[in-house]
Amino acid sequence: MNGLPERQPSSVPARAQQEEEAARRMRWLFAEPGVWTDRMLAALEQGVQGGAWFRLSDKVWLARNLESAWRKASANRGAAGVDHMTVDAFARHEQAHLKKLADDLRMGHYRPQPIRRAHIPKPGSDQTRPLGIPTVRDRVVQGALRHVLEPIFERDFAPQSYGFRPGRGCKDALRRADELLKQGYTHVADADLKSYFDTIPHDRPIERIGEKVADGRTLRMIEAFLKAEVMEGLALWTPETGAPQGAVLSPLLSNIYPDGLDHRMAGLGLEMVRYADDFVVLCRSGPEAQRALDEVRRRTAQAGLTLHPDKTRIVDASEEGFEFLGYRFERGEKHPRDKSLDKFKTTIRDKTRRCEGRCLTAIIGSLNQTLRGWFEYFKHGHPWTFERLDGWIRMRLRSLLRRRQKKKGRGRGIDHQLRPNAFFAGHGLFSLQAAHARARQSARR
């Protein structure tokens, strides 16, 4: 014995591994932890052998995956499907329902039920939009399936795609379009896919998914959801194309299918910004924009999709405007497009009808919910938008109060003196103009 302390094994490798796993988990924060273990995430980043994933179906029916999918379906609420089972009814026996789902999936007995089709109004239009409403049990299974599939495809999605993706949204797409315009990309190929969700061919998304997923049961499950029967009124029919809007799995499928177009445009050095079926290609010249649009037409035709004839064109943004994700970009400025304003005003009118029986405090409380949400999205618009809307909203409220005094007509003239702007501010009415001024002041700081 020489009296020296015995050397202990170094803990550095173990600590380094833990730090690497923690960093990886942060990179994939959206990945469902009940499905995506550290080992699977490592394989995801390094690439699996052969480029395709096997044995994924057993991850779908994991109890913790189904429970997580159920929690999200419950939080989103939503109407009942063809079986008339509501979220609340499912919740009363959730463990029994989830166990039955797991058993049916594992034994291969699970089959999606028909999708109930409803029609909802399109904002600013007399037309309606078809909405597919799966049953609660099918929403749970689709959510569990999405937990399994999403990281596999998210890994390789092109950066210019912003719709229905973790950590991305409309504002990111709008910000990117604005950046490019300021950099001199003033010629825009403005494109819109006609009835995109209803026209996606069933076989081609399955082929795309099959390039990365080699699990037959998983592929058959996806195909079963795509080809599920549709019940509209008393009619029952099987769709030949389309992914129903409203289905949990549809947003992911809507990104998988056009991913080839995203990468093709990037490979050509073209600046495309896409949010689901709405996209623009920003270019530095008219001829470049025309070449971009020609390429888009060629690729979408090959994919069996159609560009909307009335919403697809070449625009010189330095001279005229174009619309994208609710905004209108025009000559260096942006503001809410007319349809966005029409939708907003319809909501305000519904809350300020002259026959409204609630007290002013309750009406303003309801209005403020709409005003704050709308402003948060459109706060980058031109200042005059907010000033004019504030005046119009106060006019609606003055007219309502005038009616309560048994007077006819709109609130103007003497009503401004009886109930000045400070009167409504004192009752807590949210001011779009004041909120915009605060936002600009904060941005300068």
Side-chain angles (χ1 to χ4, degrees):
M1 298 291 293
N2 56 14
L4 294 175
E6 186 176 343
R7 179 176 295 177
Q8 297 295 322
S10 173
S11 62
V12 172
R15 185 164 60 250
Q17 182 178 356
Q18 291 173 356
E19 291 174 352
E20 181 181 350
E21 289 176 354
R24 185 185 299 117
R25 181 60 67 179
M26 288 299 297
R27 290 195 294 272
W28 295 95
L29 199 57
F30 73 90
E32 175 57 44
V35 174
W36 287 89
T37 63
D38 291 330
R39 183 178 177 182
M40 287 181 66
L41 288 177
L44 181 65
E45 291 192 343
Q46 296 164 10
V48 293
Q49 187 174 4
W53 288 77
F54 293 83
R55 295 191 60 186
L56 290 175
S57 56
D58 61 335
K59 310 294 187 300
V60 177
W61 61 69
L62 284 172
R64 54 185 179 272
N65 187 19
L66 290 173
E67 288 170 0
S68 176
W70 155 242
R71 286 195 299 271
K72 293 175 183 177
S74 175
N76 290 334
R77 305 298 295 174
V82 296
D83 62 354
H84 305 293
M85 179 177 285
T86 63
V87 168
D88 291 336
F90 192 100
R92 284 194 286 271
H93 305 283
E94 65 178 70
Q95 289 306 314
H97 288 307
L98 293 176
K99 185 179 184 305
K100 179 70 163 56
L101 278 178
D103 291 343
D104 286 348
L105 287 164
R106 184 168 51 251
M107 299 298 292
H109 298 160
Y110 174 82
R111 298 291 183 275
Q113 293 176 281
I115 293 171
R116 181 167 70 86
R117 173 164 283 197
H119 292 268
I120 58 175
K122 280 188 175 182
S125 170
D126 295 332
Q127 300 177 335
T128 61
R129 185 191 312 278
L131 184 68
I133 305 175
T135 61
V136 176
R137 67 190 288 273
D138 288 342
R139 297 205 288 268
V140 172
V141 175
Q142 287 191 39
L145 190 55
R146 180 171 179 168
H147 288 164
V148 173
L149 295 174
E150 190 167 45
I152 295 173
F153 292 92
E154 182 64 30
R155 173 183 182 270
D156 298 319
F157 277 154
Q160 63 265 44
S161 165
Y162 294 90
F164 312 123
R165 293 183 60 187
R168 289 172 165 243
C170 288
K171 288 188 177 181
D172 300 297
L174 289 165
R175 191 177 298 112
R176 179 58 179 162
D178 198 36
E179 289 172 355
L180 290 168
L181 287 168
K182 290 174 180 176
Q183 292 173 20
Y185 290 81
T186 55
H187 289 75
V188 182
D190 184 8
D192 187 274
L193 291 170
K194 185 177 181 180
S195 303
Y196 174 56
F197 281 88
D198 290 335
T199 57
I200 298 176
H202 286 164
D203 56 336
R204 298 185 190 183
I206 296 297
E207 291 175 4
R208 297 279 173 85
I209 295 171
E211 295 171 2
K212 295 184 179 182
V213 174
D215 185 312
R217 292 184 69 172
T218 300
L219 293 173
R220 287 192 294 273
M221 209 181 305
I222 298 168
E223 188 173 15
F225 279 121
L226 278 173
K227 297 184 177 181
E229 292 180 310
V230 174
M231 178 172 284
E232 189 166 6
L234 297 177
L236 188 67
W237 50 281
T238 303
E240 297 181 359
T241 61
Q245 296 186 61
V248 179
L249 203 56
S250 293
L252 177 60
L253 297 177
S254 74
N255 275 332
I256 291 173
Y257 192 45
D259 186 52
L261 172 63
D262 296 340
H263 285 285
R264 172 62 178 168
M265 301 303 279
L268 293 173
L270 295 168
E271 294 287 356
M272 185 169 79
V273 183
R274 182 176 68 83
Y275 190 97
D277 57 341
D278 195 1
F279 59 94
V280 289
V281 187
L282 293 101
C283 306
R284 292 190 180 276
S285 68
E288 183 184 15
Q290 186 61 58
R291 288 194 299 272
L293 185 55
D294 291 343
E295 181 64 22
V296 168
R297 283 200 174 101
R298 184 161 48 251
R299 298 286 294 191
T300 52
Q302 291 173 357
L305 301 172
T306 305
L307 292 179
H308 200 296
D310 299 328
K311 299 180 181 180
T312 301
R313 61 195 182 118
I314 301 292
V315 175
D316 181 351
S318 64
E319 297 182 0
E320 56 181 320
F322 69 96
E323 295 177 352
F324 185 50
L325 299 179
Y327 272 90
R328 181 170 181 81
F329 293 81
E330 190 167 14
R331 299 179 182 178
E333 301 288 351
K334 54 183 177 293
H335 50 83
R337 67 174 185 166
D338 290 344
K339 283 187 177 181
S340 299
L341 288 172
D342 290 343
K343 180 183 177 182
F344 172 72
K345 286 186 172 183
T346 297
T347 303
I348 298 300
R349 287 189 184 98
D350 289 342
K351 294 188 175 187
T352 56
R353 296 184 184 279
R354 296 185 195 183
C355 58
E356 174 61 59
R358 294 177 298 171
C359 68
L360 183 62
T361 301
I363 294 171
I364 287 177
S366 177
L367 277 175
N368 285 349
Q369 292 178 358
T370 298
L371 294 172
R372 288 193 176 96
W374 191 86
F375 175 76
E376 183 59 31
Y377 188 79
F378 288 106
K379 63 184 176 183
H380 302 291
H382 196 280
W384 63 263
T385 302
F386 308 110
E387 181 181 359
R388 290 173 60 181
L389 286 174
D390 273 348
W392 178 77
I393 292 166
R394 288 191 293 264
M395 180 277 294
R396 295 282 307 175
L397 290 172
R398 289 186 181 108
S399 299
L400 182 154
L401 295 172
R402 183 181 176 86
R403 173 71 175 269
R404 292 182 178 181
Q405 294 179 326
K406 310 299 183 184
K407 297 179 180 179
K408 297 181 180 180
R410 297 168 63 182
R412 64 180 96 190
I414 189 65
D415 296 281
H416 285 258
Q417 299 175 22
L418 293 174
R419 300 180 183 89
N421 296 353
F423 170 82
F424 297 105
H427 279 76
L429 179 65
F430 182 85
S431 168
L432 297 170
Q433 185 180 10
H436 184 256
R438 290 193 299 269
R440 292 187 67 178
Q441 187 176 20
S442 177
R444 290 193 201 99
R445 291 176 181 171

